């Protein structure tokens, strides 16, 4: 069992997750090393020691395998949210689940993120990348609804979308600035969302000078 998996998974489900994760990691690694256009499904399967047929049991294309890291990264967030204490305010539960997931991954490596950003900007990955983010938002919205006891699904989708946006903005800010850590920025953005963004809407005076850095393209 890896540290990414909850302890109550069956052995079969655990092995399926491990196989899917291994294929996704191999696909991403090969795409970064060779360029996606030079990677075949057969190459990914060989890297993991399985058949192309096994690969097709998990992914419909190499593009989906590369982008699946976006979805897989949030599986832990979903499980962490459902495991939060009963009676805890919903926004606090969501915030802690998000922070827990990204704390587990550690501070990103700038050089790696730069390579990843270049890869994800390729036209052949754009559609699958957007599909992956849509899937993450849908799963998070469903988890929020379950946590909230069947709340208005539109509001759950709005909340999930807001959380995803906060993550992307925090990543872009971290990538474009020197020395500003990712996690404190993400936590600050989530706190602002939870309280209705009072710094902008409630007349609260910002503690720092306004940041006029261009946000640039969203990162994964």
């Amino acid at each position: 069992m890896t540290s990414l998996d909850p302890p109550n998974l069956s052995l079969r489900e655990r092995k399926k997750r491990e196989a899917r994760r291994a294929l996704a990691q191999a696909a991403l690694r090969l795409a970064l090393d060779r360029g996606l256009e030079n990677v075949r499904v057969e190459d990914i399967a060989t890297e993991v020691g399985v058949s192309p047929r096994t690969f097709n049991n998990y992914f419909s294309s190499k593009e989906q395998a590369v982008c699946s890291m976006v979805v897989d990264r949030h599986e832990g967030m979903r499980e962490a949210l459902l495991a939060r204490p009963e009676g805890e305010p919903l926004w606090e539960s969501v915030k802690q689940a998000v922070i827990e997931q990204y704390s587990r991954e550690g501070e990103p490596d700038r050089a790696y993120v730069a390579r990843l950003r270049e890869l994800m900007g390729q036209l052949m990955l754009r559609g699958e990348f957007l599909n992956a983010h849509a899937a993450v938002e849908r799963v998070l919205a469903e988890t929020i609804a379950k946590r909230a006891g069947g709340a208005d699904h539109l509001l759950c989708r709005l909340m999930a979308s807001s959380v995803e946006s906060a993550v992307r903005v925090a990543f872009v800010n971290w990538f474009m600035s020197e020395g500003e850590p990712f996690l404190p920025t993400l936590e600050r953005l989530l706190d602002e969302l939870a309280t209705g963004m009072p710094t902008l809407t409630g007349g609260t005076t910002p503690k720092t000078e306004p940041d006029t850095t261009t946000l640039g393209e969203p990162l994964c």
Side-chain angles (χ1 to χ4, degrees):
M1 182 179 67
T2 72
S3 61
L4 295 175
D5 294 325
N8 59 342
L9 284 181
S10 67
L11 179 61
R12 182 171 180 271
E13 182 61 29
R14 196 178 302 153
K15 287 184 175 180
K16 286 176 63 178
R17 283 198 182 194
E18 290 172 353
R20 188 178 190 278
R21 190 178 296 134
L23 287 165
Q25 290 172 347
L28 180 58
R29 183 169 60 251
L30 290 174
L32 286 170
D33 289 346
R34 304 180 186 178
L36 184 62
E37 67 278 8
N38 299 315
V39 177
R40 303 173 304 162
V41 166
E42 290 80 2
D43 298 328
I44 301 169
T46 299
E47 184 82 0
V48 180
V50 299
S51 67
R53 181 177 180 180
T54 298
F55 174 93
N56 290 328
N57 288 336
Y58 293 96
F59 302 108
S60 62
S61 67
K62 64 182 181 180
E63 290 83 6
Q64 186 184 50
V66 169
C67 293
S68 69
M69 61 159 191
V70 176
V71 179
D72 292 348
R73 187 171 60 193
H74 289 72
E75 278 298 309
M77 189 188 303
R78 179 181 66 83
E79 287 151 0
L81 176 54
L82 293 177
R84 296 299 303 173
E86 291 186 15
E88 184 177 58
L90 181 58
W91 258 115
E92 182 65 19
S93 294
V94 171
K95 184 185 85 168
Q96 292 304 325
V98 173
I99 295 299
E100 177 183 326
Q101 176 65 19
Y102 284 96
S103 297
R104 181 186 298 160
E105 294 181 358
E107 190 76 7
D109 177 81
R110 287 183 184 275
Y112 177 77
V113 171
R115 293 173 63 205
L116 194 59
R117 188 186 194 199
E118 182 179 357
L119 175 66
M120 291 301 171
Q122 295 181 12
L123 183 61
M124 60 195 308
L125 277 177
R126 278 289 185 173
E128 199 59 59
F129 187 55
L130 292 175
N131 287 339
H133 271 295
V136 166
E137 186 177 309
R138 182 175 63 253
V139 170
L140 183 56
E142 291 170 353
T143 308
I144 290 170
K146 185 174 181 180
R147 172 75 188 187
D152 186 324
H153 193 67
L154 279 178
L155 296 181
C156 293
R157 284 297 297 265
L158 179 60
M159 188 176 192
S161 178
S162 299
V163 170
E164 279 295 289
S165 294
V167 170
R168 289 196 294 271
V169 170
F171 256 127
V172 171
N173 178 76
W174 167 83
F175 186 75
M176 300 292 288
S177 62
E178 289 292 338
E180 188 168 351
F182 168 70
L183 281 174
T185 300
L186 176 58
E187 186 168 6
R188 180 169 68 87
L189 293 178
L190 292 173
D191 284 340
E192 279 284 328
L193 286 173
T195 54
M197 303 187 71
T199 302
L200 288 180
T201 63
T204 303
T205 302
K207 294 181 179 179
T208 59
E209 290 298 318
D211 183 5
T212 57
T213 303
T214 301
L215 290 180
E217 293 291 327
L219 294 176
C220 57

